[in-house]
């Protein structure tokens, strides 16, 4: 490590970056071969990865370490994602308890010194006893335990303890695994929370909310802990604090609790405590809403909007006097003091200056606003009804309304502990009052903050009664919360986004309204050109909410690309904010407090909280992971174009496909089953899949047959539809796999599963009780009148299916129907599996093969002394048929290709006869009549009529082609007699000749075929569907085990407004033993999954995601806004 730093770290900052001037290569030995220079590490990224791995090994106390080459060549997107999920979140997690207080209590801010101190609210005596016991047990910790006063927190009190700063207690829970006899320090544990990082070592309000967004998949217990701690703060401190330090007692931060609580509930809704946590969070947010955000002086009664107006006195103690030197300097000169002396005199009350009071009123508001600092809010924040705050309050109003209506039966009881001033305990509220509040605020924001001329929302000054002229990216927050009309949204996209969008994402303010940076207008960290994670995230979601998916994807790509490049070029740096105009050194932001996250050497170990989250969340939305393509400042990013090009290239370029597959496919992940079906990880899973499905189906049958109450009978169409879908899930997948999968074990298992469920289905189709129950329900107006149009249609379709299943026949005939139907399936399978010519090869002399491309013969034929034996099946046979000049040879090949074994012909005859007997048992004259009765064609006569009409209409056109082919044949034979005919074996040969003839006439090269490569066709279809329907094909990752062959491509069908709506698996390339028959299998149809099904799955499989479990693990779509889950149609081509 020392040698590496001496060689490459030329600026001696403990990092290897693009600023260093070293040789950018470092030789390494091979552990297994003992070669000293077996491998040379090259380039800044690999060298910095090596430094990081060496440092982390040193930190673990290792003397030597083996580093795999793949660790140094790891894709930066994968590496950053892995570090965040597996290391950095853990390093940023804190608890305040016996195990964690030594780490959580210290305050790294430069102005904070002294022994650790903790303040306990008066309503938490058990915590006071707990920390007092810790103080006594561990005197070396020097922990000072203090009570907070009872009653309202005043500015005077907060100022009075600024010289004794301390951490504020948070929620604690009982240790379930500790007996009561143990001491108190063994009985309680602190709820976990996340800190932003660097000098911020406490629970920050909106930082934690955005961090949680990136932790839901991997650190759900920490997210739950964050919510519980926020609830504790509202209970005991009156609000979610700026952060849990004593000097923050008088101010909050942007309120996002309900947003976080609902997102968390969606992620954990089937855990036993999910609804309780959601309810407590909603009640706490309601209390904070009334007691803090909509009470005086924050509420401006004239406009009805709210402002940031925290309580406090003096300058903020977390900042040194130097931060406000520009403010104190005039007074220092006036009184002949230093800036530090002036600050001290002002804070202890010996210096009284009303103008300073006004400045710091606004400064505290700026810090509560979270944008500390920005010219948008500087010197006037306490007077501003900002767009951002009022959007957040609108979101709270909507969230409380929706949660009350959806999760609490539209009846929310307010217990005493969550009462705001003026509330009566146990009052019951419905959603209506909150919907009314939301609508009122929406109208007020649009009245006071919308600027039609600029096409954006602006803050409203409640003192001057005018809109601010300052342009901030928070003008996009109305898209996120949903208060903008479609017209306003279009204006924001047209006029606002170009104002803030730069090469690396969105800047926080416009360059124009920030003004020229100078001594009197210094650069603020929340102003242009800096971009911050929260603004990116809310813009992405807001644009998606209004259907602007391309714009969202573009901005997402810019930000992710910026972060990836910075991580790659700057030794793994992930920081608090970025200069979004500079892709080369975006992290070098020195405005005001510098840039948090840069203060490390050798290896990053935390990143920065909400920036980490933005990367994880951004990747979850991204449609491409190729983040190292440089987006220019004035051109759109390559997200859509990248997908469009990738769609063509995954089919047309094997090298591109391999790169794509390797980038998106990780062998370190646990294998998934075929089509992501959790049962189909191995052949035996098919039988389990079929058996489990049959058990579910029997339960559904019992529900229909046993339906007695009106409510149960009204559900019959839904239950039968679910029954049908459950059976088809197995049958359709098994039918495809048994014909396509290269593994014989899978084919046999699929065949067995198909047989099991097919017979079961035929038994159900001939069960009179099911038909009778459905018929009775259809005829009972008290039942069917409650059905939707879709349910009525399903009922009629099912009755027609019953009618085709000999349902009215005797028991004996119904049994015969089941047996014969099973026999039809068996014969059909035998016929398909037996499709092959009687003879596998046919021999021809060299003379007979004249005209056939020699390369075709060399690659797939067996040479003998006088010629070749060629296969009678597949592409070689067809290539010979279209090119053999010898007519007799063509005839022999054609006959061989189309002559089946006698047994195969007999199988076909048995199949047709058995199918006819099935139709007769069902009361139909023929199978065609039975199969067409509920189709558009209706009857065999109609089909024949259509075919005859088609033949008549096209006969003249076809005859022209036949005549041309006949002319060619007469020229070949030299025989102009009328007896010369185009024979069946001539058709393909002379069609190919005509194509060559047309090409030669054009006197130009054949450019046309280049337009019809497989990739170009798929790309063209996607573009066509985009223009017609607003849907497109996007190449998607395939997990291990998901496909049946490495050449299978997966395409997700993406709708511009609804996101992913279907999955396509494309198996379009030849391989040995692959069936030549074209297939288009619908493996599964789309269906909305009822909440009752999800709840049932949750009870059966408590440790699995119920939305995926109810769908056997296959692709789903989840609409968070309506809490609705859909199974996605899955198709194999």
């Amino acid at each position: 490590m020392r040698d590496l730093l001496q060689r490459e770290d030329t600026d001696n900052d403990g990092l290897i970056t693009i600023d260093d001037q070293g040789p950018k290569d470092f030789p390494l030995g091979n552990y297994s071969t003992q070669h000293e220079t077996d491998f040379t590490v090259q380039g800044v990224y690999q060298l910095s990865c090596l430094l990081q791995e060496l440092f982390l090994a040193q930190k673990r106390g290792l003397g030597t370490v083996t580093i795999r080459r793949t660790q140094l060549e790891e894709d930066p997107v994968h590496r950053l994602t892995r570090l965040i999920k597996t290391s950095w979140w853990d390093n940023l997690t804190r608890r305040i308890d016996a195990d964690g207080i030594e780490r959580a209590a210290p305050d790294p801010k430069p102005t904070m010194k002294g022994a650790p101190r903790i303040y306990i609210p008066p309503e938490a005596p058990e915590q006071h006893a707990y920390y007092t016991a810790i103080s006594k047990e561990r005197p070396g910790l020097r922990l000072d335990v203090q009570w907070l006063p009872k009653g309202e927190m005043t500015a005077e009190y907060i100022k009075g303890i600024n010289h004794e700063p301390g951490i504020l207690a948070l929620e604690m829970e009982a240790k379930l695994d500790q007996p009561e006899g143990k001491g108190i320090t063994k009985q309680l544990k602190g709820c976990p929370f996340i800190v932003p990082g660097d000098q911020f070592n406490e629970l920050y309000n909106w930082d934690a909310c955005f961090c949680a967004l990136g932790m839901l998949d991997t650190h759900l217990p920490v997210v739950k802990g964050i919510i519980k701690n926020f609830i504790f703060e509202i209970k005991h401190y009156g609000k979610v604090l700026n952060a849990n330090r004593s000097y923050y007692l008088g101010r909050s931060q942007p309120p996002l609790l309900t947003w976080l609580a609902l997102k968390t509930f969606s992620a954990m809704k089937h855990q036993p405590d999910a609804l309780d946590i959601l309810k407590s969070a909603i009640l706490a947010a309601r209390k904070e809403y009334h007691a803090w955000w909509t009470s005086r002086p924050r509420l401006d009664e004239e406009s009805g909007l709210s402002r940031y107006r925290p309580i406090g006195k003096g300058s903020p103690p977390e900042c040194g006097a130097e931060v406000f030197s520009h403010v104190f300097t005039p007074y220092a000169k006036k009184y002949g003091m230093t800036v530090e002396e002036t600050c001290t005199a002002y804070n202890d009350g010996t210096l009284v200056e009303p103008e300073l009071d006004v400045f710091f009123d606004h400064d505290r508001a700026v810090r509560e606003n979270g944008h500390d600092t920005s010219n948008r809010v500087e010197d006037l924040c306490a007077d501003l009804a900002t767009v951002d705050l009022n959007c957040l309050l609108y979101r709270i109003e909507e969230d409380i309304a929706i949660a009350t209506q959806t999760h609490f039966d539209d009846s929310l009881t307010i217990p005493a502990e969550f009462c705001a001033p003026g509330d009566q305990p146990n009052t019951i509220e419905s959603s209506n009052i909150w919907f009314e509040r939301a609508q009122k605020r929406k109208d007020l924001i649009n009245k006071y903050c919308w600027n039609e001329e600029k096409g954006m929302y602006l803050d409203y000054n409640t003192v001057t009664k005018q809109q601010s002229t300052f342009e901030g990216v928070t003008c996009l927050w109305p898209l996120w919360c949903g208060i903008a009309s479609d017209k306003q949204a279009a204006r924001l996209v047209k006029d606002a986004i170009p104002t803030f969008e730069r090469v690396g994402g969105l800047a926080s303010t416009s360059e124009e309204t920030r003004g020229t940076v100078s001594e009197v207008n210094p650069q603020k960290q929340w102003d242009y050109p800096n971009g911050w994670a929260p603004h990116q995230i809310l813009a992405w979601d807001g644009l998606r909410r209004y259907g602007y998916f391309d714009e969202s994807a573009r901005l997402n790509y810019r930000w992710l690309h910026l972060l990836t490049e910075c991580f790659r070029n700057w030794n793994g740096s992930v920081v608090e904010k970025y200069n979004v105009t500079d892709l080369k050194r975006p992290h070098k932001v020195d405005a005001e407090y510098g840039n948090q996250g840069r203060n490390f050497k050798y290896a990053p170990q935390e990143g920065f909280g909400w920036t980490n989250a933005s990367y994880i969340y951004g990747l979850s939305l991204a449609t491409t992971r190729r983040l190292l393509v440089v987006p220019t400042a004035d051109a759109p990013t390559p997200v859509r174009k990248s997908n469009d090009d990738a769609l063509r290239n995954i089919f047309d370029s094997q090298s591109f496909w391999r790169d794509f597959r390797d980038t998106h496919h990780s062998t370190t992940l646990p294998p998934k089953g075929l089509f992501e079906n959790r049962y189909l990880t191995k052949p035996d899973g098919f039988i389990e899949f079929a058996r489990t499905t049959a058990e579910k189906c029997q339960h559904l049958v019992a529900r229909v047959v046993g339906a007695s109450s009106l409510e149960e009978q009204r559900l019959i169409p839904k239950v039968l539809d679910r029954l049908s879908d459950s059976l088809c899930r197995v049958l359709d997948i098994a039918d495809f796999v048994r014909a396509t999968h290269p593994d014989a074990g899978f084919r046999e298992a699929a065949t067995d599963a198909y047989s099991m469920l097919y017979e079961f289905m035929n038994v159900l189709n001939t069960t009179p009780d099911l038909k009778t129950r459905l018929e009775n329900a259809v005829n009972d107006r008290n039942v069917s009148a409650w059905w939707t149009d879709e349910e009525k249609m399903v009922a009629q379709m099912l009755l027609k299916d019953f009618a085709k299943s000999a349902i009215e026949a005797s028991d004996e005939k119904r049994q015969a129907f089941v047996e014969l139907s099973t026999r039809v399936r068996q014969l059909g399978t035998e016929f398909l599996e037996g499709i092959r010519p009687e003879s596998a090869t046919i021999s021809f002399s060299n003379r007979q093969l004249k005209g056939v491309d020699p390369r075709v013969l060399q690659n797939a034929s067996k040479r003998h002394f006088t010629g070749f034996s060629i296969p009678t099946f597949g592409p070689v046979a067809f290539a010979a048929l279209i090119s053999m000049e010898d007519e007799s040879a063509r005839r022999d090949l054609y006959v061989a290709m189309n002559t089946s074994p006698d047994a195969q012909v007999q199988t076909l005859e048995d199949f047709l006869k058995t199918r006819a007997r099935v139709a007769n048992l069902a009361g139909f004259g023929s199978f065609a009549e039975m199969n067409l009765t509920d189709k558009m064609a209706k009857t065999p006569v109609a089909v024949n009529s259509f075919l005859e009409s088609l033949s008549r209409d096209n006969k003249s056109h076809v005859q022209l082609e036949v005549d041309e082919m006949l002319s060619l044949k007469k020229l070949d034979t030299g025989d102009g007699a009328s007896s010369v005919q185009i024979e069946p074996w001539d058709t393909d040969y002379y069609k190919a000749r005509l194509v060559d003839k047309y090409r030669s006439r054009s006197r130009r090269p054949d450019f046309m075929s280049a337009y019809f490569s497989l990739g170009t066709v798929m790309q063209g279809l996607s573009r066509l569907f985009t223009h017609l329907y607003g849907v497109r094909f996007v190449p998607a990752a395939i997990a291990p085990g998901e496909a049946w062959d490495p050449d299978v491509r997966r395409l997700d069908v993406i709708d511009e407004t609804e996101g992913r709506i279907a999955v396509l698996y494309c198996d379009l390339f030849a391989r040995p033993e692959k069936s030549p028959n074209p297939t288009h299998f619908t493996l599964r149809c789309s269906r909305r999954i009822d909440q009752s099904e999800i709840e049932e799955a949750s009870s059966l499989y408590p440790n699995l995601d119920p939305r995926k479990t109810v769908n056997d693990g296959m692709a789903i779509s989840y609409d968070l806004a309506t809490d609705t889950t859909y199974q996605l149609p899955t198709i194999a081509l």
Side-chain angles (χ1 to χ4, degrees):
M1 180 172 161
R2 182 184 64 251
D3 294 344
L4 176 63
L5 288 168
Q6 287 177 349
R7 181 183 176 93
E8 297 292 345
D9 180 22
T10 59
D11 57 8
N12 297 312
D13 63 353
L15 307 172
I16 298 176
T17 72
I18 59 173
D19 270 357
D20 289 308
Q21 302 302 310
K24 300 294 189 292
D25 59 53
F26 189 76
L28 281 182
N30 187 307
Y31 180 79
S32 59
T33 64
Q34 302 298 311
H35 289 172
E36 292 186 1
T37 58
D38 220 32
F39 171 59
T40 299
V41 183
Q42 294 183 317
V44 167
Y45 174 64
Q46 288 190 15
L47 289 165
S48 68
C49 288
L50 175 60
L51 174 62
Q52 293 167 46
E53 296 299 331
L54 291 171
F55 171 73
L56 294 173
Q58 185 184 81
K59 187 180 177 184
R60 294 196 300 271
L62 301 177
T64 61
V65 62
T66 300
I67 299 174
R68 296 187 303 275
R69 183 170 179 170
T70 54
Q71 290 175 265
L72 307 182
E73 297 175 343
E74 185 178 11
D75 172 56
V77 177
H78 183 273
R79 182 178 180 87
L80 178 51
T81 303
R82 176 178 58 79
L83 287 173
I84 293 170
K85 290 184 175 183
T86 63
S87 174
W88 292 359
W89 285 141
D90 293 332
N91 293 341
L92 290 169
T93 299
R94 304 284 186 274
R95 292 177 187 267
I96 304 179
D97 57 18
D99 296 328
I101 193 164
E102 194 165 355
R103 190 179 182 197
D107 193 340
K109 299 179 195 67
T111 57
M112 298 299 155
K113 296 178 175 63
R117 183 177 292 104
I118 186 165
Y119 285 93
I120 312 296
E123 304 86 0
E126 74 288 348
Q127 289 209 26
H128 193 277
Y130 177 90
Y131 291 111
T132 300
I134 290 177
S135 179
K136 291 178 180 178
E137 291 173 6
R138 297 161 64 184
L141 186 60
R142 299 189 302 138
L143 180 64
D144 182 13
V145 183
Q146 295 286 337
W147 284 108
L148 285 173
K150 293 184 178 180
E152 185 177 353
M153 199 66 59
T154 65
E156 289 75 13
Y157 172 78
I158 298 170
K159 180 183 174 184
I161 62 170
N162 279 345
H163 66 288
E164 294 182 330
I167 198 162
L168 299 172
L170 295 175
E171 183 65 280
M172 302 192 78
E173 296 177 323
K175 286 186 178 180
L176 300 179
D177 58 346
Q178 294 294 332
E180 291 188 8
K182 294 283 187 180
I184 188 170
T185 59
K186 304 296 184 183
Q187 293 179 18
L188 296 175
K189 64 177 180 179
C191 285
F193 58 92
I194 202 80
V195 301
D198 213 316
Q199 70 171 2
F200 302 119
N201 192 41
E202 47 274 321
L203 172 62
Y204 280 82
N205 182 341
W206 75 323
D207 288 75
C209 290
F210 284 105
C211 288
L213 188 63
M215 301 172 72
L216 285 169
D217 288 342
T218 56
H219 288 70
L220 188 57
V222 181
V223 178
K224 290 165 67 173
I226 292 168
I227 295 174
K228 291 176 182 179
N229 284 318
F230 283 166
I231 295 168
F232 181 91
E233 288 188 334
I234 292 173
K235 283 182 180 179
H236 297 287
Y237 310 131
K239 55 195 167 292
V240 180
L241 299 172
N242 185 151
N244 65 317
R245 296 283 180 187
S246 57
Y247 43 84
Y248 291 138
L249 277 165
R251 66 180 190 248
S252 183
Q253 256 192 341
L256 288 154
L257 175 55
T258 57
W259 172 69
L260 174 60
L262 284 169
K263 279 193 170 291
T264 306
F265 178 76
S266 294
M268 59 172 280
K269 65 171 62 177
H270 299 290
Q271 294 186 12
D273 58 346
L275 199 60
D276 290 339
I277 292 175
L278 176 64
K279 191 170 198 174
S280 294
I282 293 297
L283 289 167
R286 178 197 173 278
K287 177 179 180 179
E288 182 188 43
Y289 171 90
H290 286 302
W292 188 256
W293 295 115
T294 59
S295 66
R296 297 179 65 187
R298 283 156 289 281
L299 175 66
D300 174 51
E301 295 180 351
E302 183 175 336
S303 68
L305 299 174
S306 290
R307 306 164 290 200
Y308 288 105
R309 283 200 175 181
I311 61 174
K313 284 191 173 183
S315 65
E318 71 270 26
C319 299
E322 71 280 358
V323 173
F324 302 105
S325 59
H326 63 294
V327 178
F328 286 124
T329 295
Y331 300 97
K333 291 179 180 178
K334 178 179 177 181
Y335 295 106
M337 296 187 288
T338 65
V339 167
E340 181 121 6
E341 290 169 341
T342 305
C343 178
T344 301
Y346 174 68
N347 285 331
D348 65 21
T350 57
L351 173 63
V352 178
E353 286 288 349
E355 289 184 357
L356 283 177
D357 293 341
V358 172
F359 173 83
F360 283 110
D361 283 343
H362 288 304
D363 181 77
R364 278 187 293 276
V366 169
R367 296 174 192 283
E368 186 172 57
N369 172 266
H371 295 77
D372 44 333
T373 65
S374 163
N375 283 343
R376 177 173 73 92
V377 290
E378 187 86 349
D379 295 333
L380 46 73
C381 189
D383 296 337
L384 291 180
T386 62
V387 173
D388 35 307
L389 173 59
N390 285 282
C391 283
L392 293 173
L393 295 179
Y394 171 83
R395 183 65 181 256
I396 290 171
E397 291 157 349
E398 279 273 300
D399 288 345
I400 294 176
I402 292 169
T404 300
Q405 183 183 68
T406 306
H407 301 295
F408 308 125
D409 299 324
D410 211 18
S411 178
L412 185 65
T413 301
I414 315 301
E417 64 178 334
F418 289 114
C419 281
D423 282 342
Q424 291 296 319
N426 300 317
T427 300
I428 297 176
E429 288 184 347
S430 72
S431 60
N432 287 340
I433 188 172
W434 289 98
F435 281 126
E436 289 169 5
R437 286 176 178 138
Q439 184 60 49
K440 181 180 178 181
R441 188 175 300 276
K442 177 179 179 180
D443 294 340
L444 292 172
I445 294 173
N446 280 313
K447 175 182 177 181
Y448 288 105
C449 300
W450 174 251
N451 187 294
E452 182 65 27
E453 181 181 349
K454 288 193 172 186
M456 62 180 73
Y457 288 88
L458 302 173
D459 300 328
Y460 176 72
N461 193 309
T462 60
V463 174
T464 65
K465 317 297 183 193
Q466 293 180 331
Q467 282 185 352
S468 168
T469 59
F470 202 98
E471 298 164 349
V473 77
T474 51
C475 74
L476 300 178
W477 288 26
L479 295 176
W480 168 77
C481 70
I483 67 168
S485 66
D486 289 341
K487 182 179 177 182
Q488 288 169 320
R491 287 293 308 280
L492 287 166
V493 171
K494 175 178 176 289
D495 298 325
I497 287 182
T499 302
F500 307 105
E501 183 177 1
R502 294 297 182 269
V503 68
L506 292 168
S508 295
T509 65
S510 72
E511 182 177 16
E512 180 182 355
T513 55
R514 178 205 63 175
T516 303
V517 174
S518 65
E519 195 171 314
V520 296
N521 182 33
Q523 176 69 53
K524 306 292 195 303
Q525 66 170 355
W526 281 89
D527 283 346
Y528 179 92
N530 299 330
W532 295 70
H535 292 158
Q536 319 300 321
I537 291 170
L538 297 190
W540 302 338
D541 281 357
L543 288 165
R544 290 167 63 85
R545 179 172 187 157
Y546 282 82
Y548 293 97
F549 286 90
D550 283 353
E551 290 77 6
S552 176
R554 185 181 72 239
L555 294 174
N556 183 7
Y557 180 92
R558 290 191 185 281
W559 181 255
L560 295 180
H561 171 77
L562 178 80
L563 268 60
T564 304
E565 282 289 274
C566 185
F567 176 78
R568 187 174 68 156
N569 292 332
W570 296 95
N571 209 115
S573 293
V574 174
V575 294
E576 179 187 34
K577 54 187 172 285
Y578 294 84
N579 179 344
V580 294
T581 68
D582 181 5
L583 283 180
K584 194 169 185 181
R585 293 174 173 81
H587 65 307
K588 293 200 171 183
V589 178
D590 297 318
E592 299 186 296
Y593 315 108
N595 206 357
Q596 307 305 310
R598 288 177 60 186
N599 300 319
F600 70 91
K601 286 189 174 185
Y602 313 129
Q605 297 178 71
E606 296 180 342
F608 192 83
W610 60 21
T611 311
N612 299 345
S614 72
Y615 199 77
I616 299 300
Y617 186 62
L619 282 178
S620 76
L621 302 179
T623 53
T624 178
R625 289 175 65 94
R626 300 175 71 85
L627 299 178
L628 301 180
V629 181
V630 180
T632 61
D634 56 354
T637 56
V639 175
R640 173 67 74 83
K641 186 175 188 305
S642 172
N643 286 336
D644 194 51
D645 291 344
L647 177 60
R648 182 184 72 252
N649 288 326
I650 63 167
F651 290 102
D652 287 353
S653 169
Q654 277 297 315
S655 61
F656 183 92
W657 165 242
R658 284 193 297 270
D659 289 345
F660 181 91
R661 183 181 60 199
D662 294 344
T663 300
H664 292 72
H665 185 291
S666 174
T667 55
T668 62
L669 297 173
K672 291 188 176 182
L674 286 169
F675 319 110
E676 298 184 283
N677 186 298
R678 67 190 186 89
Y679 293 101
L680 305 184
T681 56
K682 53 186 179 180
D684 290 349
F686 252 118
I687 304 304
E688 183 185 357
F689 184 27
R691 187 180 298 115
T692 303
T693 299
E695 291 171 358
K696 292 178 182 176
C697 290
Q698 287 167 344
H699 172 69
L700 295 172
V701 169
R703 283 182 62 183
V704 174
V705 173
S708 56
S709 68
L710 283 175
E711 183 178 356
E712 290 171 335
Q713 292 177 62
R714 289 167 183 164
L715 289 174
I716 284 177
K718 277 190 176 181
V719 177
L720 287 175
D721 180 60
R722 183 182 171 191
L723 175 63
S724 173
D725 180 73
S726 298
L727 289 167
C728 290
R729 284 186 195 182
V730 181
L731 292 170
D732 292 340
I733 291 177
D735 199 22
F736 174 78
V737 170
R738 65 184 181 149
T740 307
H741 205 292
D743 186 322
F746 264 106
R747 293 198 303 272
E748 292 170 8
T751 299
D752 291 343
Y754 188 94
S755 300
M756 183 190 307
L757 266 295
Y758 189 85
E759 185 169 355
F760 182 76
M761 180 184 69
N762 282 324
V763 170
L764 294 181
N765 285 339
T766 57
T767 302
D769 282 353
L770 285 175
K771 188 235 183 183
T772 301
R773 286 291 185 180
L774 178 59
E775 213 164 36
N776 291 343
V778 169
N779 295 328
D780 188 340
R781 292 292 300 162
N782 290 324
V783 175
S784 58
W786 288 76
W787 293 347
T788 63
D789 290 342
E790 290 83 359
E791 288 170 327
K792 292 175 183 177
M793 186 183 300
V794 167
Q796 293 301 323
M797 290 171 63
L798 290 171
L799 285 175
K800 290 177 182 178
D801 284 342
F802 280 125
K804 292 191 296 183
S805 301
I807 196 75
E808 303 293 347
S810 65
D811 291 346
E812 182 181 352
K813 288 186 176 181
R814 286 202 308 275
Q815 180 61 33
F817 181 91
V818 171
E819 292 173 357
L820 288 172
S821 295
T822 301
R823 181 61 181 154
V824 167
R825 181 201 60 74
Q826 293 169 342
L827 289 168
T829 300
E830 288 176 21
F831 180 77
L832 290 173
E833 291 178 349
I835 293 178
R836 63 180 62 86
E838 185 173 28
S839 298
T841 61
I842 183 172
S843 295
F844 292 104
S845 66
N846 292 329
R847 180 185 58 78
Q848 289 175 303
L849 291 170
K850 182 182 178 182
V852 180
D853 189 334
R855 289 172 298 181
V856 173
L857 300 175
Q858 290 170 0
N859 291 338
S861 305
K862 184 176 180 181
R863 189 182 186 102
H864 50 75
F865 184 73
T866 59
F868 288 88
S869 291
I870 66 174
T872 57
F873 190 69
V876 174
F878 183 74
L881 187 67
I882 66 172
S883 56
M884 295 173 82
E885 296 179 6
D886 187 319
E887 181 180 359
S888 63
R890 283 201 309 274
R891 181 195 60 219
D892 293 345
L893 176 58
Y894 179 84
V895 171
M897 290 171 66
N898 291 279
T899 300
S900 294
D902 291 341
Q904 178 76 343
V905 175
Q906 185 61 52
T907 299
L908 179 59
E909 289 180 357
D910 291 346
F911 173 75
L912 295 173
K913 289 177 182 178
T914 308
R915 210 166 61 166
R917 291 176 63 192
V918 168
N920 295 154
L921 284 171
F924 294 93
S926 67
F927 180 81
E929 181 184 338
M930 182 177 81
N931 203 42
L932 292 170
T933 183
D934 57 350
K935 303 292 191 301
M936 185 185 296
K938 298 298 183 186
T939 66
V941 173
V943 173
N944 284 330
S945 175
F946 170 75
L947 295 174
E948 289 168 0
S949 174
L950 193 66
S951 175
R952 285 194 303 273
D953 290 345
N954 287 282
K955 185 174 182 179
S956 60
H957 303 291
V958 173
Q959 190 60 50
L960 288 174
E961 293 186 10
V962 171
D963 289 344
E964 283 195 82
M965 288 190 286
L966 187 59
S967 297
L968 286 176
K969 185 171 183 181
K970 287 180 178 181
L971 285 174
D972 288 345
T973 60
D975 185 353
S978 59
S979 60
V980 177
Q981 299 291 326
I982 293 295
E983 303 292 351
W985 46 86
D986 292 329
T987 306
D988 292 317
Y989 173 72
Y990 283 108
K991 278 197 298 186
R993 290 273 303 276
L994 282 176
V995 170
D996 287 339
K997 180 180 176 182
Y998 296 146
R999 286 173 179 163
S1000 63
R1001 283 179 183 174
S1002 70
R1003 298 174 181 256
R1004 290 180 297 179
D1006 174 26
F1007 294 117
M1008 186 63 71
S1009 61
Y1011 288 94
F1012 289 97
S1013 68
L1014 178 56
T1016 308
V1017 170
M1018 298 302 287
Q1019 184 186 55
L1021 287 172
S1022 179
R1023 292 174 178 177
L1024 179 64
F1025 294 154
T1026 300
H1027 288 296
L1028 292 177
Y1029 309 116
V1031 301
R1032 67 184 190 276
F1033 300 154
V1034 175
I1038 296 183
E1042 183 181 348
W1044 53 99
D1045 187 85
D1047 266 341
V1048 174
R1049 276 68 162 165
R1050 169 173 165 165
L1051 304 178
D1052 284 350
V1053 184
I1054 305 296
D1055 182 273
E1056 291 178 351
T1057 56
E1058 296 181 23
R1060 186 173 62 161
I1061 58 171
V1063 175
L1064 298 178
Y1065 291 97
C1066 301
D1067 184 7
L1068 302 176
F1069 294 92
R1071 61 176 177 269
E1073 305 301 322
K1074 181 182 178 183
S1075 171
N1077 298 317
T1079 58
H1080 173 182
F1081 272 84
T1082 300
L1083 302 171
R1084 191 190 49 178
C1085 297
S1086 178
R1087 188 176 70 91
R1088 188 182 70 191
I1089 298 174
D1090 283 346
Q1091 186 63 30
S1092 60
E1093 298 176 54
I1094 295 174
E1095 292 168 358
E1096 178 184 313
S1098 179
S1099 63
L1100 290 173
Y1101 309 100
N1103 296 322
L1104 299 176
D1105 180 353
R1107 287 195 298 271
K1108 296 286 283 183
T1109 303
V1110 76
N1111 207 38
D1112 307 319
M1114 294 176 68
I1116 61 169
S1117 172
Y1118 177 59
D1119 186 336
L1120 181 63
T1122 60
D1123 191 24
T1124 306
T1125 303
Y1126 299 89
Q1127 65 182 39
L1128 294 183
T1130 303
I1131 296 164
L1133 299 175

